[in-house]
Amino acid sequence: QREQQEDNKVSKELEDYVGVDKVYNKISINTANIGELIQLPHVGPITAKKIVEYRKNKSFQNLNELKTISGVGESSYQDIEPYIQL
């Protein structure tokens, strides 16, 4: 019984660590801060700062506009797109 509980605990910790059963909430590219943006695939601090700078002038009207940011190409965008929303 006790060994079973220990196994379950270890299994749960591993699931938490590797993200099994994790629900990813999409982030808004119009409101996300730099810390949130750098968690996106292929987005580092420099690209995140460019996204924030872009928003100072106007909001993103559609997700494809993200590709106008230097550093976000088509393949990067394809990896990012599942995790973002307006």
Side-chain angles (χ1 to χ4, degrees):
Q1 177 76 24
R2 184 177 190 145
E3 191 174 308
Q4 179 69 35
Q5 286 177 326
E6 279 298 309
D7 287 348
N8 286 344
K9 184 179 178 203
V10 169
S11 177
K12 177 75 177 113
E13 286 176 15
L14 283 172
E15 285 178 9
D16 289 345
Y17 180 75
V18 297
V20 174
D21 295 335
K22 238 183 200 170
V23 175
Y24 290 97
N25 293 321
K26 291 189 174 197
I27 66 164
S28 167
I29 57 174
N30 280 321
T31 60
N33 62 35
I34 289 177
E36 292 169 315
L37 291 167
I38 62 174
Q39 293 178 44
L40 294 169
H42 312 291
V43 177
I46 293 170
T47 304
K49 189 171 185 215
K50 289 177 186 174
I51 293 169
V52 171
E53 290 293 319
Y54 180 90
R55 292 191 321 225
K56 288 182 179 177
N57 298 318
K58 65 177 193 147
S59 300
F60 287 96
Q61 300 302 308
N62 63 63
L63 296 179
N64 278 320
E65 257 182 86
L66 192 59
K67 290 187 271 189
T68 65
I69 303 295
S70 173
V72 181
E74 182 62 39
S75 62
S76 297
Y77 175 78
Q78 294 300 324
D79 292 341
I80 294 169
E81 199 267 335
Y83 304 105
I84 58 173
Q85 64 188 6
L86 291 178

